[in-house]
Amino acid sequence: MKHGRWTILAIAAIAVLGAVVAGCGGDDEGSGSAAVTDLPASSCPAASLKGPDGADYLIASDLPLQGASRPQTEQMGKAIEFVLNQRGFKAGDKKIAYQACDDATAQAASWDSAKCTANANAYVANKSLIGVIGTFNSGCAKLVIPILNPAAIAMVSPANTYVGLTQGGPVEAGEPDKYYPSGKRNYARVVAADNFQGPALAVFAQTDLKLKNVFVLNDGQLYGAGLANNFRDAAKKLNMGVAGFQKWDSKSTSFEPLGNTIKATGADGVFLAGIVDNAGGKLVKDLRAVLGPDVQILSPDGFTPIESVIKDAGKAAEGVYVSVAGPPVDQLTGKGKAFVEEFGATVGGADKVQVYSAYAAQAAEVLLDAIAASDGTRQSVVDNIFKTNVTDGIMGSFGLDANGDTTAGGVTMYQIKGDKQVTVKVVTPDASLVGKG
């Protein structure tokens, strides 16, 4: 988080918000109270609590605010606040407070399993909390969802793409049912799952880049392993060669030996299924040093923000392709275009708006609309999440199916050019390539 000087007035405002009531308020279903209780400072800094005096309900965002993702996730939090400000911190006639929570640690420099679990338990314990926007990382979602589920707390992610969270996954048995011990769903996401992203990348690699033999790497985490499988399955259906399939070790001091292994296969492309936090920038740098400029490097949304790739890869980042499971910011229309212009004015211009900020804003709108339509209980909010049908929203028009997945399946391909993320095209893979769990 960025820190600045606080005025006496600002400190006083926070004190009013943070100390409104000693008890939790509400009942077991989170029906609200005259005021909300803030979440533990160990998870959610007290200074992040925003909203009106005497708010009826609390919502939280759960994002990694430390590590390589920080520039992106900080702006996502600002986008959520922007939406709340536009709505006067209300969902219908219900007054809403908001608190930004951190699921990362300095030691991990990324999301942390213990922190994700602690955050989830804090949400359940706070009876004034009625919904969560998050998580950013699918591995963290895997831990949070089953804790929130018995308490019927709605969770809307702007970024998770691992298939197994909502459908039968390619990595772990018992998915997705093991994440929903109550037998009912409480989780949804506004971005396409990796059974769209993996095939879209494979189609782009073959059709646009004319690649014939791609080496597939993954970082060993839930998201990376699942996406690697999704890409490989689609590649086989497309009769595109898979030169190799293995993990990379984020603690490795050099990836040049790995580069030599890839070079020996004659691969004309490499797909990096994982997150930039796991030495992604160094991996790009070392591979490029061995493979040269002609071997194409493709990466998924885990390699955003591109600033983090560039920071560690330097000039080697030039030309790397990065996919994102959703529409491009520079091609949004209607309400989306208006959001980019208006929110952009608060962050240095429309060209400074990162794609996941738009998705976070959309997730906030989905949650707030569900709260507005609810009777004020947690279960009612969950029920209304699954009635979502957005027309001309920030991310366009889409619905949420019974699994909690978006009905939109477009995946945007970007390329790093001159330290910028340039839109190349949007790919929607054919249904025959999209695996269903």
Side-chain angles (χ1 to χ4, degrees), residues 16-25 33-38:
V16 169
L17 283 169
V20 282
V21 173
C24 288
S33 63
V36 302
T37 304
D38 56 340

Side-chain angles (χ1 to χ4, degrees), residues 163-292:
V163 178
L165 296 176
T166 55
Q167 304 172 45
V171 178
E172 295 191 7
E175 294 176 331
D177 292 346
K178 67 180 184 179
Y179 303 128
Y180 305 97
S182 75
K184 297 180 180 179
R185 299 294 180 99
N186 65 307
Y187 167 85
R189 48 183 160 199
V190 297
V191 292
D194 288 331
N195 54 348
F196 281 88
Q197 185 171 200
L201 278 156
V203 168
F204 179 71
Q206 183 183 68
T207 304
D208 294 82
L209 302 183
K210 309 301 181 185
L211 302 184
K212 294 179 169 39
N213 200 25
V214 179
F215 199 105
V216 181
L217 293 172
N218 77 85
D219 63 0
Q221 289 191 358
L222 186 77
Y223 159 78
L227 184 52
N229 279 288
N230 294 132
F231 181 95
R232 179 174 60 178
D233 291 347
K236 288 180 178 178
K237 291 178 182 179
L238 292 167
N239 294 315
M240 182 170 64
V242 176
F245 190 91
Q246 70 179 73
K247 297 177 184 178
W248 82 77
D249 181 1
S250 63
K251 296 180 174 60
S252 179
T253 57
S254 174
F255 294 110
E256 291 191 8
L258 178 57
N260 286 320
T261 298
I262 295 170
K263 188 174 184 178
T265 67
D268 53 4
V270 184
F271 174 48
L272 313 179
I275 61 175
V276 68
D277 308 65
N278 288 332
K282 178 173 175 52
L283 178 64
V284 168
K285 183 178 182 179
D286 288 359
L287 292 183
R288 185 63 78 204
V290 175
L291 301 175

Side-chain angles (χ1 to χ4, degrees), residues 25-92:
D27 57 24
D28 287 342
E29 293 216 338
S31 60
S33 63
V36 302
T37 304
D38 56 340
L39 291 155
S42 57
S43 296
C44 322
S48 70
L49 184 64
K50 311 289 182 182
D53 293 348
D56 303 309
Y57 302 95
L58 175 66
I59 65 173
S61 60
D62 191 286
L63 304 168
L65 300 177
Q66 301 176 71
S69 298
R70 177 178 170 177
Q72 184 167 250
T73 52
E74 276 194 331
Q75 193 183 98
M76 290 170 71
K78 291 177 182 177
I80 294 167
E81 257 190 74
F82 181 83
V83 169
L84 283 160
N85 270 307
Q86 281 190 320
R87 296 190 177 209
F89 279 84
K90 285 187 174 182

Side-chain angles (χ1 to χ4, degrees), residues 153-172:
I153 298 176
M155 179 174 169
V156 184
S157 174
N160 298 156
T161 56
Y162 176 63
V163 178
L165 296 176
T166 55
Q167 304 172 45
V171 178
E172 295 191 7

Side-chain angles (χ1 to χ4, degrees), residues 380-406:
S380 181
V381 175
V382 169
D383 292 342
N384 279 284
I385 288 289
F386 289 91
K387 296 177 183 177
T388 295
N389 189 12
V390 176
T391 301
D392 188 28
I394 293 172
M395 295 176 68
S397 298
F398 66 94
L400 294 174
D401 66 19
N403 289 328
D405 285 317
T406 176

